Structure formats: structure tokens, C-alpha cells
Amino acid sequence: MTIWTPDLSGDGPRYRQIARAIADAIDSGALATGEKLPPQRRLAHALGVTPGTVTRAYAEAEKAGRVVARVGSGTYVAEPGTQDFTQIRVDRGTSDVIDLGLALPPPLAVRDSGFARALSAMPADATLCATALDYQPPDGMARHRTVYAEWMTALGLPVAADELIVNLGGMNGIFAALSACLQHGERIAAERLTYPGLISVAAQLGLKTVPLAHDGDGLDVDALAARHARQPFSALYVMPEHQNPTTTRLSEERRAALVDFARAHDVWLIEDTVQFLPEAERGTPLYRLAPERTILLFSISKMLGGGLRSGVMRVPPVLHARVETVIRNVSWMPPPLIVGLVCRWITSGDADAVLAAQWDELAERRRMTHEALPGIDVATRAGGFFAWIRLPPGQRAAATATRLAAQGVRVTAAESFCLGSEAAPQALRLCFSAAPDRAELVRALAIVNQTIASPPAGAWQTI
Ligand SMILES: Cc1ncc(COP(=O)(O)O)c(C=O)c1O
């Protein structure tokens, strides 16, 4: 059988030539969406290069969003402009692509120094051994829960230590909340555009999903009762403060109505505040309005660092034992060494300094984003990581994301956030937080502006 074999030409290392040839073949239609690329060894043999060169080329094409690698199966041409949640790999700084596709915190010196101080403050003595090497309670150590509770309260999320369950961050919280509230085959409702991690966990747990309408004021609460009558759901996942990806905030009026609805229909509320904003940007938390039925998800991933894998969930007392069971089944408990480190970072005051510096940096990046994209419909929030860009009429999100990827800038088309089968809006999420520095952000934004300002001349796709 013949395999797709590109003619390599142009300058630069072979792996880049191959990656470029893949992009050209996709653009020209020689490689179709969903088509499998040749096995790496066979292509290497056909081209007379080492298998490592092809591996690197495929990784480059993947980073540019052109292909996806499926473990044990091979590499396939990606759906244009979308990001498959199960295939996400974070590899900052290892390629030429400016990746604004993932909501990563901006690099900050104050974060690195705070981390180093917290590490060096860890006592190398018997107390640490006794804590860190031993099994601890599944909901976390009492003193760690107290530190988290005091910090959250100071940040404007008043909680008591015994309401908290320490976990492994936001994803772990979503998994634990859905597992505790729902049985296989039951329905979970969420905004029609939502965090892809929620979609992935729901699929894994065999849950049915109910996409809900939302607009500039957040979830359309008026439509909820009718939707519930047609497709009753047991839990509702929502991001009231900073909707990911659309940046909206749920109005106070709708919060009250949402709580009334949840009480009337006995629905659990899962309130995700992982994309954490300054207090002035937030409304009344749902768990304050309906403490008996709301799980709050809080993570330090977007504050101190995603690598720490630490967060907490505030859980109604009736669900505490069920959530504990999930945590025990997944990891027995949160790792006391990591949680202890995070707590030191918090109690030293250095965590607050990171947050303040991050909000300053984000304010500047936000300003730069609006300045660089004049005349384009760009929504952002103070303290947020990303912009939601609604494309001018006539432009398609997936095609625009693909054109951007070809120029070395990665963003995410709305399609990746879609729950259900309704058409996605023609919009892109651009995480200005993720640029390695401001200069790279300026470079990327200029490309985005130019790409949106000059769409390709209309061409008949069909007759
Ligand atoms: C809304 C939302 N929830 C949860 C998560 C997952 O958080 P973590 O990285 O702590 O697992 C993210 C990550 O981007 C997110 O945006």
C-alpha cells in the first residue's frame, strides 16, 4: 500500500519541513479531516530520515492544532480549529507556536520566588515525616482545611473548615461532584458552551447532558423549568462568576431565580469558581444562597500553579460522606506533602502577593488585547485569563483558528466548548494569560488582528 509521502522542500530542519508539508497537504485537501497519517517509522523510511525526526514533526503539527495523536492508535488530521480535551498536552516553550489555547497563568517571578520560599520553609524533621509519609483522612488534614477556610474567607468566600474537602484541583472536584451527585444514565445540565473538562467527565461517567441557553447575563434561568420538564436533570453545573469561555457573569436576579428553581425541582448545583476573579468582579456565591444543595469548586491551579494539583470543594453536609468516598476511591486522600506546601505558601502571605501581581499582569495584558484588536467584538473581565472574540459576519471560527495556527498562533474555536449538537457560534477563545511574555503577546495579537481584518476572498465551496 502506498502511503502519503510529502516532497520536502524549503529551508530549515527536516522536522519543520515535514510539519509544513502536513499543513500544506491539509490546506490543499490532500489530507482530509479525520484521515490517519502514516505510521512514523514507515514515513521515516520513505523520507530517509530518522523516526525521531518524524516524531518531532508530528508533535509540531499537533502543537499547531493540525493533527491529534491518539494513544495506541496513531496520528489523525484534526477537526479544524478545535481542541480535543482528551488530547491536550501542555508543553510551554518547546515549539515556535504561541499557544493561547489553554488557560494557563502568566509566568511571574513572584510566583517562582514564593514557591522557592515555601519549599525551603518545609521542616526536614520528624513532624514532616509523620505527616507526609502517613495516610491521612480522605477529606484532608484538619489543619490544612483550616488554612484553606481562612484564606477563602479572606478572599470573599466565607467557609468553615468542616465544610471543606481538600482535593486534587478543579478536575478532581468536577469528577468527585458528578460522581457523588449522579448515577450512571442520569442527566447533568450545563451552559451550552461550557468547560470541556465537564463534558469529558460526564461522558466518562455515562451521564446524559442537557445543554442550557445562556446570554450576556449568564444562564437563561427562565428557560430552565421548561427544559427540566422535557429532560429532567438531577444536577446543574454552572460558572456564575466568569463563564468559561464566554466571560459572562450571572446576574444577581438570575442567581436568586436559579436557586428557587433548584429548590423547587430538587436539583444539585455545582458552582465552579476555578477561573477566580477579584472580589469586585464577583456576585453572591450560589453556595451562600443555597448552602444545602450547592457544591463549590475552588482550585489553586490558576493562582499558584496547576502542577501542584491542589484545591478544595465546599460540600453540603449531606454529601460529605459520598464525596469522601469518591476521593478515597480515586487517591485515598490528597497528598499531605503538597497540601502542606500550599498551606505554607498561603500562611506566609506570599500566595496573596502572587495573586496581586497576577491581577496586575492580567490587567495590562487585557488592555493590550483590546488595544491590539480595535473594531473587533472582544469580551474580557478584570482578572480573567481569556478573551472571547465574536468574529465579524461571514467569518467562520474553525477556519479562522486554522489560519491562525498556520501562522503560529493557537486559539480555540467555540466548537470545543459545545455541549450537545447545536451549531457553535462563530467565536474564538484567546488566552492572553498564556503568552510567555508581553512581547510574544503583542506579536500574536498583531497576527490575530491581521487575520480577522483580512479574511480570504469568498470562494464557492459547493454548488
Ligand atoms: C472552569 C474550570 N474548571 C475546572 C478547571 C480545572 O482545574 P484544575 O486545573 O485545577 O484541575 C479549569 C481549568 O482550566 C477550568 O477552567
mmCIF file of all heavy atoms in Angstrom, residues 103 168-172 174 195 237 239 244 272 274-275 299-302 306 309-310, ligand 1:
data_model
loop_
_atom_site.group_PDB
_atom_site.id
_atom_site.type_symbol
_atom_site.label_atom_id
_atom_site.label_comp_id
_atom_site.label_asym_id
_atom_site.label_seq_id
_atom_site.Cartn_x
_atom_site.Cartn_y
_atom_site.Cartn_z
ATOM 1 N N ALA A 103 -5.884 27.910 29.210
ATOM 2 C CA ALA A 103 -5.983 28.940 30.253
ATOM 3 C C ALA A 103 -4.898 28.710 31.312
ATOM 4 O O ALA A 103 -5.156 28.170 32.384
ATOM 5 C CB ALA A 103 -7.375 28.911 30.886
ATOM 6 N N LEU A 168 -7.669 17.264 44.576
ATOM 7 C CA LEU A 168 -6.513 17.387 43.682
ATOM 8 C C LEU A 168 -6.749 18.455 42.607
ATOM 9 O O LEU A 168 -6.250 18.337 41.494
ATOM 10 C CB LEU A 168 -6.227 16.038 43.007
ATOM 11 C CG LEU A 168 -6.095 14.810 43.908
ATOM 12 C CD1 LEU A 168 -5.860 13.543 43.074
ATOM 13 C CD2 LEU A 168 -4.937 14.983 44.885
ATOM 14 N N GLY A 169 -7.567 19.454 42.920
ATOM 15 C CA GLY A 169 -7.782 20.540 41.964
ATOM 16 C C GLY A 169 -9.150 20.475 41.307
ATOM 17 O O GLY A 169 -9.995 19.638 41.645
ATOM 18 N N GLY A 170 -9.354 21.374 40.352
ATOM 19 C CA GLY A 170 -10.671 21.558 39.744
ATOM 20 C C GLY A 170 -11.222 20.326 39.043
ATOM 21 O O GLY A 170 -12.386 19.965 39.219
ATOM 22 N N MET A 171 -10.390 19.663 38.236
ATOM 23 C CA MET A 171 -10.877 18.479 37.510
ATOM 24 C C MET A 171 -11.298 17.385 38.484
ATOM 25 O O MET A 171 -12.315 16.725 38.302
ATOM 26 C CB MET A 171 -9.788 17.935 36.579
ATOM 27 C CG MET A 171 -9.730 18.594 35.228
ATOM 28 S SD MET A 171 -11.315 18.586 34.351
ATOM 29 C CE MET A 171 -11.487 16.867 33.942
ATOM 30 N N ASN A 172 -10.464 17.205 39.502
ATOM 31 C CA ASN A 172 -10.775 16.214 40.524
ATOM 32 C C ASN A 172 -12.082 16.586 41.234
ATOM 33 O O ASN A 172 -12.917 15.715 41.536
ATOM 34 C CB ASN A 172 -9.593 16.151 41.503
ATOM 35 C CG ASN A 172 -9.715 15.068 42.543
ATOM 36 O OD1 ASN A 172 -9.599 15.354 43.733
ATOM 37 N ND2 ASN A 172 -9.950 13.847 42.140
ATOM 38 N N ILE A 174 -14.570 18.318 39.879
ATOM 39 C CA ILE A 174 -15.692 18.046 38.967
ATOM 40 C C ILE A 174 -16.014 16.553 39.005
ATOM 41 O O ILE A 174 -17.176 16.146 39.104
ATOM 42 C CB ILE A 174 -15.341 18.494 37.519
ATOM 43 C CG1 ILE A 174 -15.245 20.018 37.447
ATOM 44 C CG2 ILE A 174 -16.370 17.974 36.519
ATOM 45 C CD1 ILE A 174 -14.792 20.568 36.098
ATOM 46 N N TYR A 195 -17.113 24.410 30.096
ATOM 47 C CA TYR A 195 -15.737 23.950 30.251
ATOM 48 C C TYR A 195 -15.626 22.514 29.723
ATOM 49 O O TYR A 195 -16.358 21.627 30.185
ATOM 50 C CB TYR A 195 -15.360 24.038 31.741
ATOM 51 C CG TYR A 195 -14.008 23.448 32.039
ATOM 52 C CD1 TYR A 195 -12.873 23.879 31.350
ATOM 53 C CD2 TYR A 195 -13.850 22.451 32.991
ATOM 54 C CE1 TYR A 195 -11.634 23.326 31.603
ATOM 55 C CE2 TYR A 195 -12.614 21.902 33.262
ATOM 56 C CZ TYR A 195 -11.509 22.342 32.556
ATOM 57 O OH TYR A 195 -10.282 21.778 32.799
ATOM 58 N N TYR A 237 -24.372 22.177 36.471
ATOM 59 C CA TYR A 237 -23.005 22.718 36.616
ATOM 60 C C TYR A 237 -23.005 24.116 36.018
ATOM 61 O O TYR A 237 -23.477 24.323 34.894
ATOM 62 C CB TYR A 237 -22.034 21.801 35.874
ATOM 63 C CG TYR A 237 -20.647 22.368 35.672
ATOM 64 C CD1 TYR A 237 -19.632 22.153 36.602
ATOM 65 C CD2 TYR A 237 -20.334 23.106 34.525
ATOM 66 C CE1 TYR A 237 -18.346 22.661 36.393
ATOM 67 C CE2 TYR A 237 -19.058 23.625 34.323
ATOM 68 C CZ TYR A 237 -18.074 23.390 35.256
ATOM 69 O OH TYR A 237 -16.808 23.895 35.054
ATOM 70 N N MET A 239 -20.865 28.200 35.920
ATOM 71 C CA MET A 239 -19.738 29.077 36.287
ATOM 72 C C MET A 239 -20.288 30.496 36.422
ATOM 73 O O MET A 239 -20.238 31.282 35.467
ATOM 74 C CB MET A 239 -18.667 29.017 35.193
ATOM 75 C CG MET A 239 -18.005 27.666 35.077
ATOM 76 S SD MET A 239 -17.015 27.477 33.578
ATOM 77 C CE MET A 239 -18.264 26.974 32.405
ATOM 78 N N ASN A 244 -16.637 30.228 31.429
ATOM 79 C CA ASN A 244 -15.586 29.783 30.515
ATOM 80 C C ASN A 244 -16.272 29.012 29.396
ATOM 81 O O ASN A 244 -16.861 27.961 29.667
ATOM 82 C CB ASN A 244 -14.603 28.874 31.278
ATOM 83 C CG ASN A 244 -13.422 28.442 30.429
ATOM 84 O OD1 ASN A 244 -13.301 28.820 29.281
ATOM 85 N ND2 ASN A 244 -12.552 27.624 31.015
ATOM 86 N N ASP A 272 -18.686 26.312 39.826
ATOM 87 C CA ASP A 272 -17.249 26.230 39.535
ATOM 88 C C ASP A 272 -16.655 27.635 39.556
ATOM 89 O O ASP A 272 -17.010 28.487 38.733
ATOM 90 C CB ASP A 272 -17.054 25.580 38.159
ATOM 91 C CG ASP A 272 -15.583 25.332 37.830
ATOM 92 O OD1 ASP A 272 -14.732 26.074 38.343
ATOM 93 O OD2 ASP A 272 -15.302 24.411 37.048
ATOM 94 N N VAL A 274 -13.206 28.035 39.601
ATOM 95 C CA VAL A 274 -11.773 27.808 39.353
ATOM 96 C C VAL A 274 -11.161 28.998 38.612
ATOM 97 O O VAL A 274 -10.038 29.411 38.910
ATOM 98 C CB VAL A 274 -11.570 26.491 38.571
ATOM 99 C CG1 VAL A 274 -10.132 26.344 38.108
ATOM 100 C CG2 VAL A 274 -11.984 25.295 39.433
ATOM 101 N N GLN A 275 -11.909 29.555 37.650
ATOM 102 C CA GLN A 275 -11.438 30.788 36.985
ATOM 103 C C GLN A 275 -11.771 31.925 37.941
ATOM 104 O O GLN A 275 -12.806 32.575 37.825
ATOM 105 C CB GLN A 275 -12.137 30.963 35.630
ATOM 106 C CG GLN A 275 -11.821 29.886 34.609
ATOM 107 C CD GLN A 275 -10.401 29.996 34.075
ATOM 108 O OE1 GLN A 275 -9.748 31.043 34.183
ATOM 109 N NE2 GLN A 275 -9.907 28.913 33.503
ATOM 110 N N SER A 299 -9.906 26.026 43.168
ATOM 111 C CA SER A 299 -8.609 25.379 42.890
ATOM 112 C C SER A 299 -7.517 26.425 42.914
ATOM 113 O O SER A 299 -7.753 27.583 42.556
ATOM 114 C CB SER A 299 -8.676 24.734 41.504
ATOM 115 O OG SER A 299 -7.387 24.398 41.066
ATOM 116 N N ILE A 300 -6.315 26.012 43.267
ATOM 117 C CA ILE A 300 -5.206 26.965 43.220
ATOM 118 C C ILE A 300 -4.460 26.919 41.884
ATOM 119 O O ILE A 300 -3.487 27.637 41.687
ATOM 120 C CB ILE A 300 -4.198 26.724 44.370
ATOM 121 C CG1 ILE A 300 -3.674 25.305 44.308
ATOM 122 C CG2 ILE A 300 -4.789 27.045 45.725
ATOM 123 C CD1 ILE A 300 -2.267 25.232 44.795
ATOM 124 N N SER A 301 -4.956 26.075 40.956
ATOM 125 C CA SER A 301 -4.246 25.907 39.672
ATOM 126 C C SER A 301 -4.051 27.232 38.936
ATOM 127 O O SER A 301 -3.028 27.447 38.300
ATOM 128 C CB SER A 301 -5.029 24.975 38.755
ATOM 129 O OG SER A 301 -5.137 23.715 39.335
ATOM 130 N N LYS A 302 -5.056 28.107 39.003
ATOM 131 C CA LYS A 302 -4.971 29.361 38.241
ATOM 132 C C LYS A 302 -4.377 30.474 39.094
ATOM 133 O O LYS A 302 -4.371 31.635 38.689
ATOM 134 C CB LYS A 302 -6.361 29.774 37.743
ATOM 135 C CG LYS A 302 -7.137 28.679 37.061
ATOM 136 C CD LYS A 302 -6.498 28.205 35.780
ATOM 137 C CE LYS A 302 -7.212 26.988 35.218
ATOM 138 N NZ LYS A 302 -6.510 26.385 34.081
ATOM 139 N N GLY A 306 -0.776 24.992 38.310
ATOM 140 C CA GLY A 306 -1.530 23.781 38.022
ATOM 141 C C GLY A 306 -0.778 22.505 38.377
ATOM 142 O O GLY A 306 -1.384 21.459 38.612
ATOM 143 N N ARG A 309 -1.558 20.492 41.693
ATOM 144 C CA ARG A 309 -2.760 19.654 41.776
ATOM 145 C C ARG A 309 -3.411 19.763 43.148
ATOM 146 O O ARG A 309 -3.569 18.760 43.858
ATOM 147 C CB ARG A 309 -2.446 18.161 41.484
ATOM 148 C CG ARG A 309 -1.972 17.816 40.105
ATOM 149 C CD ARG A 309 -3.062 17.906 39.070
ATOM 150 N NE ARG A 309 -3.239 19.265 38.598
ATOM 151 C CZ ARG A 309 -4.404 19.783 38.191
ATOM 152 N NH1 ARG A 309 -5.489 19.079 38.210
ATOM 153 N NH2 ARG A 309 -4.472 21.007 37.774
ATOM 154 N N SER A 310 -3.818 20.949 43.502
ATOM 155 C CA SER A 310 -4.451 21.106 44.806
ATOM 156 C C SER A 310 -5.627 22.077 44.724
ATOM 157 O O SER A 310 -5.563 23.090 44.031
ATOM 158 C CB SER A 310 -3.445 21.602 45.839
ATOM 159 O OG SER A 310 -4.012 21.548 47.131
HETATM 160 C C1 LIG B 1 -13.813 26.350 34.708
HETATM 161 C C2 LIG B 1 -12.722 25.368 35.023
HETATM 162 N N1 LIG B 1 -12.962 24.389 35.903
HETATM 163 C C3 LIG B 1 -12.023 23.489 36.223
HETATM 164 C C4 LIG B 1 -10.774 23.541 35.649
HETATM 165 C C5 LIG B 1 -9.762 22.505 36.026
HETATM 166 O O1 LIG B 1 -8.973 22.989 37.076
HETATM 167 P P1 LIG B 1 -7.658 22.260 37.590
HETATM 168 O O2 LIG B 1 -6.557 22.640 36.675
HETATM 169 O O3 LIG B 1 -7.474 22.751 38.970
HETATM 170 O O4 LIG B 1 -7.908 20.777 37.549
HETATM 171 C C6 LIG B 1 -10.472 24.552 34.728
HETATM 172 C C7 LIG B 1 -9.174 24.613 34.083
HETATM 173 O O5 LIG B 1 -8.927 25.336 33.167
HETATM 174 C C8 LIG B 1 -11.490 25.486 34.408
HETATM 175 O O6 LIG B 1 -11.275 26.474 33.527
#
